[in-house]
Structures are given as structure tokens and as C-alpha cells.
Amino acid sequence: MDIKRIINQMTLEEKAGICSGGDFWSTKGIERLGLPKMMFSDGPYGLHKNSSDSNLESYIHAVCFPAACTTAASFDRDLIYKVGEALGNECQSENVGVILGPAANIKRSPLCGRNFEYYSEDPYLASELAASQIKGIQSKNVGACIKHFWANNQEHRRMTSSSDMDERTAREIYLAAFEGAVKLGKPWTVMCSYNRINGVYSAENKKYLTDVLRKEWGFDGFVVSDWGAVNDRVSDLKAGLELEMPTSFGMNDQKIVEAVKTGELDEAVLDKAVERIINIVYRFIENRDCNAIFDREADHELARKAASESIVLLKNENILPLSKKDTAAFIGYFAKWPRYQGGGSSRINSYKMESAIDMAKDIDLIYAQGYEVHDDIIRQDLIDEAVEAAKRAKVAVVFAGLPDAFESEGFDRTHIRLPQCQNALIKAVTNANPNTVIVLHNGSPVEMPWINDVNAVLEVYLGGQAIGGATIQVLYGEVNPSGRLAETFPLRVQDNPSYLYYLGEGDCVEYREGVFVGYRYYDKKEMGVLFPFGYGLSYTAFSYSNLKLDKTKMKDLDTLTVMVDVTNIGKCAGKEVVQLYVAPKCGQAIRPVRELKGFEKIFLEPNETKTVTFTLSKRAFAYYDMNIQDWYVESGEYEIQINKSSRKIILSASVHITGTVHKKIIYTRDSTIGDILHHPNGSSILKPILDKYSLTGYGEEDNLLGDGTKVMMEALIKNMPLRGLISFSDGSITFKNIEKVLKELNSI
Ligand code: GLC
């Protein structure tokens, strides 16, 4: 389609009109030019397509896949790609051009009400999985819309608050979650977030919408606002926000017209925005698959598979898998009515839902409701009934978790406890039956005060409409659990690094913890956690061997190949998530102890061995250096760690890296002796004047007090600014000497 010809035929008013929605869910069409409109639909884990008003029942019956909190635990790019494919196909069948997902925001705090919709506390994992979903969706010629770009990490005051952080934190954590996804997945669209970043609304933040997103990362689609996120329409357009959704009923369109007429807005900017929008509309229209069929049953089966591959086995003291021969007490409202999705714009009008009870027809079951789900009140009658059920059964399975009222889009949690009525129930059941299993339905970490009293814990998160079947498959061993936590479960929410400043003061939200988010913090501080990032058990066991690096010395521009053998040494087949972390053992920068830089999920039959290979390049070793405003690899040793979680190292090997980026440091009179000695020629340049300033006055022989005076003096010298030598010499060191040293240092 000759886009430019269409644009040339448009009036100014029509062009301005294209930059906002035609209705709540669609772009505008222009009938006289044959330009069709294109529909959006939420996402991110099902087709939340509206047929008329905002009542959930007015949304089409669709398939609710597991939420991102669940599928992230799969650590499985292919699985998430397949879910993306199914979503793309559903969109084609319903004539939806762009699905509003994935949501890749970092889980800064377990309190965020919308964590269920996000992948991880780790940007590498989040970006890889978001890229997989984007590629899956777009394989069906439907656009993905990665959101909410960026730093939308709380619901509190989300439309006005400012996420304030330094550029290193931004680059290494919050932008990084989007960078990989945009570069790898190449989404057709990006949704800007509601919030401000360092005081500037995302919707009008040229630095990130244009300079970073487009010029650095190569994004070539269009940016759409979150619904109602537009602040100043003309500024937004200049910054790189092409499409306002849903609409401002022509008011902002008129502002664009006036701005062009007064010269405030260059019409070429408007034309470019229109071109970017229409490009995507035609990319969808010209690749329409009118034969696509929304096979709900097939997608339901996929939803069950996605859930069963994501469930995380957190504890198992020789009780799972269960036997169908044993009587089981299924206790808890969620056994019959599982909480399988989050609240808000992502809510899916599921065409059906299967509970664990529904899927356990071949098991001798006793059911007891156990607790109220709409009010957190302890119902002793329900507990007593549950205790009786538990006493009569071989095993008690309590289906617990967070009710809708505890977490949702729109508000954040104030604590991470389960409802008190559920904790009371669990305590009573464990007293009644020593064989107790807990199944958790929650979108974000919870405290588990009963963890030492139960035999097993399955984290099923918000596992989609087929979570009941998936849970039964794992409980009874039809599926060997292979999920790993994509976020740390802290012992207490107070331990979380953002705790002191979370939600901020007014609209000022300071990310004072910097890059120390999630395991980057807990591992640096060697803090106890309930369950670490990357943790998860299996019904089988795996051993690791033959860790090999293809080089032990390299430059930062080289690539490193890492290979490791993994063997299934258990009795049943299973999947292992092989996790690779890089741990810098050198440098001046303050960095996390280790960071995830690779993961692969593999299937192994008993006694089978596979070799897993990783390829690492510069970014796996770099940090973002504020002085040079770029990624920088410090020369020195780096440890490659193959781990079973962020803190359980199985094998490791070292590589020495020589950085090729020379940080031009300008030395001044305030440069310390220690810094100067780091200069390649620092020692030789300093020698003449340091010789004049002999330490012999404080040598061992003078160390009369035996109190380490020499050590102290060396430390004092190291931290002394160059100019300080004058004050602490016998006058033999002059300012002229100082200037000569600086001239030599800065000339190299
Ligand atoms: C919202 C959400 C966004 C969603 C949009 C449309 O407020 O933040 O994720 O896609 O509205 O429903």
C-alpha cells in the first residue's frame, strides 16, 4: 500500500485525527480514502475483546491462559512463544490487529498490585520471555504491544507519580526489561506508561520514546499511550508518542491542528506519526487471515500445559506425587473455585474453567470449603468441617492463596500475608493430619508461617482457566513439576530493598535501592529468604558436570562459549532449568554479587545426559557506567556460575576479561594517590615525589606501638589527594612538582 500517497491525500484535520482513537478500542478509519480502522484488545494472557460496554459479560468468551507471574516460572521461551501464537491466532479470528501485551515491568516490590501481570525481578528473564511472547503473537501477523514503557512498578498514584532513579539503575534494570524484548521481539507497537520518569511523563519523554527506544534500540512501529496517559498532546507527539488512546473526543486532535497552523508543530512530525500508525494498520490488514479459527478447546488444552509446565514445587518431604488410591481431603474454596487470574484490564471472560475438584473424578475425595473467600473472617465451623475431612483422609491438600480483594490492577498490597482465616485453617489441618500439602493461588509472594508444619507446597500462582487440571497432573505425578521462581519470596516484606521508600511521598517515588532489586539485594547482603530466585524442586534429580569455557582470557568484544553437561540421575523423566550467572570478581564499581545471564530448559529421560551451551558477549559482563554514559567492562576476573537458584552454585569457572574501552580519566590535584597508582604509568610518574616523601619514618622498626602504624600510614597516603603531599612533606614537594605530575598523567 502506498502509505505516503494516502497521507498526501489527507487533510490536516484527518491527519491529526489519525493520532487518536476512533473509539475506546480502535484506531480511526478514513472511509473516503479506504483507510480501515484497526482494533486493539487486552492481553496480556487472553483475548479481552470488548463487544460493547465495560461490563465483563460484554467481553467475548475467550481462553484465560496463565498470567505472566505463572508462565515466567516456566523459564521456557518455546512454551511462551506457543501461547503467543495461540493469542495471535485468536486475534486473527476476531479481527484484532494488536493485542495489548506482554507486560514487562520489573517486580520492584512484592507489594505491587499488578505483579501478577509481570514476569520477574530480573530484567534478563523478563526481556527474554517478553520477546518470546511477542514473536509468537506476531508470527500470526498480529501486533504485540509491549507495556508499560516504562518504570510503572506500583499502582499507587500510577497516573501522576514520578519514578525517580539514576541512569545506571534505569539502564541495568527497568529499561533492560524492555530493551532485550524490543531488540529481539521487534514489537509492532509499544505502550507508554502513565507515570513520569525523573519528573517527565512517559508520554512526552523524548529521551526514552525517541532517543533510546528508536535511535538506540531500532524500534520502528508506533507508540500508543496507556489508556488516558496523554498529558500534553503536542509535546507528546514531538517526543514520539504517535497514538493517543482511547480518545479526547477531538479536543487533542484540534490542538495538533492549531499547533501545525501556528508553526509550533512541524507538519513533518505529524506526517511521520501518521505514517507509523498507518504502516501497522496495513501490516495487519494486508496479512489478514480470515480463515483463522478460535479453537477454544485447543487453546484450553494449551493453557493447561502452560500451567503445568510453570507450577513450582517449593517443598516436598516425601509426600508428592500422591497416589490416586489414597483418600484425599481437598480443602479450600479454591479447590472448587480456583483464583486463576488477576483483576483489572487483563481480566478474561473465560468460556470455561476447570477446578481441581472437577478434574479429580477418579480420586476418592472429601471436600471441605475451609474458609470464606470474600471476607477475611475465621469461620470456626468451616475449620471444624475441614479438620474432620482431614482426619478421615490419607492426605490433606489445602488450596489456599490470595483473594481478588488482596491484589489487583489499581491498588497495591500493604502486606504479603495470606488471609488470616487461611493461615488458621492450615494450622488446624496440619494438627489434624501430618500429611498436608498446600497449593497456592497468588499473583505475588506471600509469607508462609506454617512452612515448617506442612509436607509440601505447590506454587501454582494465577494459572489460568485450566489450572485445576494442571494442579491435579502435578499432584499425582502425571506431570513432573519444572517451574522455577522468577522472583524471590522474602521471609518478610520488610526485608525487600524497596520497602523503606515504596509508594514514595506524594508523586515522588525514589528508587533509592538502585540496581539492588530482588536477588541482587538479598544475595549481596547474604540475607535469608523464604525461597530464592530460580528455586524449584522436581520429582527427579539432576547432576551437573564438565563445565567448559572455550577461553579463559578474552577481550570485552569477544564472545565466550560455555558448555555444561546435565544428567537426570533420578527415576522419572523431567525438565531442568539450567541457570547461568556472571559474578564479577574485580573492579571498582559497586555491583550485584551475580546476575542471571543465561537460562535453558531441557527435558531428560532417566540417565540421559545433554550438553547445554551458552554464548556470552560484552553485555553479560558490563555495567552501565555513569561517567561514560555507556556499558563498560572492567578488566579482571569474572566467574561463570551454573546454579540451581540465584544462590545455589553448582559449578563455576573463571575467565579474565580485558576491557577495550578506555575510560578517559582527567587527573586533578584532588585525585587520590590510590587512584593515580591505578593509572598504567601512575607508579613511575609518582615515584620521584613519593621518594622524597619516604615512608621510612613509619617503617616496621618505628612501629613501636605494634599497632599497625605502617598499615595506617599506607592507607592515609592511598586516600590522600595529590595536593595533600605538600602539607605532609618537608617542603620539598612543591606545587610545581604537582603540576608536572598532572601534566604527565593527563597526557597519556
Ligand atoms: C489500562 C492498563 C493497560 C491496558 C489499558 C487498556 O489502564 O494500564 O495495561 O492495556 O488500560 O485496557
Side-chain angles (χ1 to χ4, degrees):
M1 181 56 68
D2 186 346
I3 303 288
K4 292 202 186 294
R5 183 181 59 78
I6 294 177
I7 295 174
N8 290 336
Q9 294 173 29
M10 284 181 177
T11 66
L12 174 59
E13 287 68 18
E14 286 171 329
K15 288 194 276 191
I18 288 294
C19 296
S20 67
D23 59 42
F24 203 79
W25 294 107
S26 301
T27 62
K28 283 199 187 78
I30 301 177
E31 196 169 343
R32 74 178 186 85
L33 297 175
L35 174 67
K37 66 179 188 176
M38 179 185 73
M39 188 167 190
F40 293 96
S41 165
D42 282 314
Y45 47 79
L47 195 50
H48 181 80
K49 181 187 173 190
N50 192 332
S51 46
S52 59
D53 57 36
S54 60
N55 176 304
L56 186 63
E57 281 316 308
S58 74
Y59 285 82
I60 65 163
H61 281 118
V63 174
C64 182
F65 287 94
C69 60
T70 318
T71 53
S74 74
F75 277 72
D76 190 335
R77 298 176 181 87
D78 295 341
L79 179 72
I80 289 179
Y81 180 94
K82 287 188 176 65
V83 172
E85 270 185 321
L87 290 170
N89 180 64
E90 291 177 6
C91 287
Q92 280 289 2
S93 73
E94 291 288 337
N95 193 21
V96 169
V98 171
I99 186 166
L100 302 171
N105 295 98
I106 287 293
K107 301 188 184 192
R108 179 181 176 226
S109 165
L111 293 172
C112 176
R114 218 170 165 184
N115 272 348
F116 68 87
E117 215 173 320
Y118 304 152
Y119 290 109
S120 181
E121 67 192 34
D122 179 83
Y124 176 72
L125 179 61
S127 65
E128 289 285 311
L129 300 182
S132 299
Q133 175 151 355
I134 290 166
K135 285 188 267 190
I137 292 167
Q138 297 184 166
S139 70
K140 297 295 183 184
N141 293 308
V142 165
C145 180
I146 188 168
K147 67 187 185 181
H148 308 84
F149 186 68
W150 53 288
N152 182 178
N153 308 102
Q154 64 188 53
E155 291 302 288
H156 176 67
R157 299 178 71 96
R158 64 173 177 167
M159 297 185 81
T160 56
S161 66
S162 180
S163 301
D164 299 342
M165 67 188 83
D166 61 64
E167 189 68 6
R168 180 179 171 200
T169 302
R171 293 283 183 159
E172 290 189 22
I173 306 294
Y174 298 95
L175 281 172
F178 289 87
E179 179 181 7
V182 168
K183 286 179 175 174
L184 280 174
K186 303 191 185 318
W188 291 11
T189 69
V190 171
M191 179 190 290
C192 79
S193 58
Y194 285 123
N195 54 282
R196 286 181 268 208
I197 293 141
N198 296 326
V200 180
Y201 277 107
S202 289
E204 56 204 32
N205 209 310
K206 180 180 174 300
K207 175 179 178 182
Y208 296 111
L209 289 184
T210 297
D211 302 342
V212 173
L213 183 61
R214 289 188 184 279
K215 291 178 181 172
E216 282 188 43
W217 298 352
F219 173 65
D220 65 358
F222 70 74
V223 177
V224 57
S225 71
D226 198 341
W227 265 234
V230 159
N231 175 47
D232 174 323
R233 187 65 190 106
V234 174
S235 302
D236 299 358
L237 205 55
K238 287 179 181 176
L241 173 68
E242 282 74 38
L243 179 64
E244 169 188 18
M245 285 306 288
T247 175
S248 51
F249 306 97
M251 287 178 264
N252 278 334
D253 302 350
Q254 188 50 38
K255 282 187 177 182
I256 292 172
V257 169
E258 285 157 13
V260 170
K261 285 180 176 172
T262 61
E264 184 197 347
L265 175 68
D266 179 345
E267 189 160 1
V269 172
L270 174 58
D271 291 351
K272 191 66 188 164
V274 172
E275 180 185 355
R276 286 167 173 163
I277 295 167
I278 294 180
N279 261 334
I280 297 298
V281 174
Y282 276 104
R283 191 181 299 178
F284 172 62
I285 298 297
E286 292 172 347
N287 295 287
R288 276 290 279 124
D289 174 5
C290 298
N291 301 316
I293 295 167
F294 186 168
D295 183 342
R296 288 169 172 75
E297 281 303 310
D299 291 356
H300 177 84
E301 293 299 314
L302 178 58
R304 184 185 305 117
K305 177 175 176 53
S308 66
E309 300 279 317
S310 303
I311 287 173
V312 186
L313 178 59
L314 294 177
K315 180 178 182 182
N316 185 21
E317 282 176 352
N318 309 316
I319 186 168
L320 295 181
L322 303 177
S323 163
K324 293 195 173 185
K325 299 192 187 79
D326 294 336
T327 303
F330 276 18
I331 297 167
Y333 180 89
F334 288 161
K336 251 185 185 173
W337 301 99
R339 179 158 173 262
Y340 62 86
Q341 63 176 327
S345 58
S346 63
R347 200 151 187 92
I348 303 303
N349 187 12
S350 300
Y351 85 101
K352 76 172 180 181
M353 178 279 291
E354 65 187 35
S355 71
I357 294 270
D358 295 333
M359 304 304 283
K361 301 296 184 205
D362 53 346
I363 299 166
D364 180 8
L365 277 187
I366 309 162
Y367 170 71
Q369 182 177 323
Y371 54 81
E372 276 288 345
V373 75
H374 300 299
D375 295 304
D376 187 7
I377 49 173
I378 294 177
R379 286 274 308 275
Q380 195 54 48
D381 57 330
L382 294 179
I383 290 180
D384 293 346
E385 179 192 27
V387 165
E388 283 314 305
K391 283 177 178 171
R392 289 165 42 206
K394 175 77 181 299
V395 62
V397 183
V398 181
F399 294 75
L402 296 178
D404 278 328
F406 275 55
E407 60 179 346
S408 167
E409 177 180 348
F411 64 86
D412 301 300
R413 293 197 287 173
T414 55
H415 61 81
I416 62 169
R417 296 185 297 275
L418 286 172
Q420 58 172 348
C421 60
Q422 291 184 24
N423 283 329
L425 170 74
I426 292 168
K427 185 175 175 57
V429 169
T430 54
N431 289 335
N433 189 323
N435 302 318
T436 298
V437 176
I438 307 297
V439 176
L440 287 175
H441 305 72
N442 45 302
S444 199
V446 293
E447 293 170 358
M448 302 180 200
W450 32 260
I451 188 64
N452 296 322
D453 306 326
V454 301
N455 302 73
V457 179
L458 269 191
E459 178 55 78
V460 305
Y461 277 111
L462 301 185
Q465 66 183 52
I467 188 55
T471 304
I472 293 297
Q473 286 178 321
V474 172
L475 278 175
Y476 288 89
E478 292 162 49
V479 171
N480 184 352
S482 61
R484 301 288 182 269
L485 290 181
E487 59 188 326
T488 306
F489 275 49
L491 287 166
R492 310 175 316 141
V493 68
Q494 293 88 336
D495 294 345
N496 181 269
S498 68
Y499 181 74
L500 292 179
Y501 315 106
Y502 194 58
L503 304 187
E505 292 173 321
D507 280 333
C508 175
V509 183
E510 293 181 314
Y511 287 46
R512 292 196 201 182
E513 70 280 2
V515 298
F516 294 98
V517 176
Y519 73 85
R520 286 170 166 79
Y521 175 79
Y522 301 116
D523 290 3
K524 184 81 173 181
K525 287 194 64 178
E526 298 179 5
M527 283 177 80
V529 295
L530 185 56
F531 295 105
F533 175 89
Y535 177 86
L537 301 175
S538 170
Y539 292 152
T540 187
F542 301 97
S543 73
Y544 289 69
S545 58
N546 297 331
L547 173 59
K548 290 196 184 84
L549 310 184
D550 70 337
K551 50 181 80 70
T552 55
K553 290 186 185 310
M554 61 187 270
K555 290 195 177 354
D556 59 359
L557 297 177
D558 299 331
T559 57
L560 178 71
T561 301
V562 181
M563 289 179 285
V564 63
D565 290 346
V566 185
T567 304
N568 181 346
I569 56 174
K571 295 185 175 55
C572 65
K575 293 184 178 179
E576 172 66 316
V577 176
V578 186
Q579 302 168 43
L580 184 152
Y581 295 77
V582 172
K585 301 295 183 184
C586 61
Q588 307 291 310
I590 298 173
R591 301 181 68 174
V593 170
R594 62 182 67 83
E595 297 177 287
L596 181 75
K597 296 297 179 185
F599 62 91
E600 292 298 336
K601 191 165 198 176
I602 56 172
F603 174 81
L604 291 170
E605 294 290 355
N607 302 316
E608 183 182 10
T609 297
K610 281 181 182 170
T611 299
V612 178
T613 301
F614 299 93
T615 302
L616 302 178
S617 55
K618 174 177 178 180
R619 283 287 292 274
F621 304 96
Y623 73 93
Y624 189 83
D625 186 284
M626 299 279 278
N627 295 314
I628 61 173
Q629 292 287 304
D630 200 354
W631 297 93
Y632 180 70
V633 177
E634 292 188 280
S635 299
E637 289 297 314
Y638 292 78
E639 195 168 85
I640 307 301
Q641 298 174 347
I642 302 297
N643 293 13
K644 297 266 303 167
S645 74
S646 77
R647 54 180 56 186
K648 186 169 183 185
I649 304 171
I650 305 298
L651 296 172
S652 64
S654 282
V655 59
H656 184 281
I657 301 181
T658 302
T660 54
V661 173
H662 179 59
K663 275 203 290 186
K664 182 66 183 153
I665 297 172
I666 303 300
Y667 293 89
T668 69
R669 303 182 332 155
D670 285 325
S671 300
T672 67
I673 301 301
D675 289 340
I676 294 170
L677 291 174
H678 268 100
H679 183 290
N681 303 356
S683 305
S684 57
I685 292 171
L686 270 177
K687 188 169 182 342
I689 59 172
L690 279 186
D691 280 351
K692 289 180 182 180
Y693 185 84
S694 164
L695 285 170
T696 51
Y698 303 89
E700 282 311 310
E701 64 281 5
D702 293 284
N703 190 5
L704 305 178
L705 304 177
D707 59 359
T709 306
K710 183 171 182 295
V711 173
M712 177 195 72
M713 284 312 297
E714 283 176 345
L716 286 175
I717 293 281
K718 189 167 70 106
N719 293 319
M720 186 186 297
L722 189 56
R723 59 175 162 72
L725 290 178
I726 289 178
S727 311
F728 294 96
S729 68
D730 55 3
S732 60
I733 297 175
T734 65
F735 280 108
K736 203 170 177 182
N737 296 135
I738 300 295
E739 293 312 317
K740 183 171 180 298
V741 164
L742 288 174
K743 191 164 184 303
E744 280 191 63
L745 287 168
N746 290 324
S747 64
I748 298 167

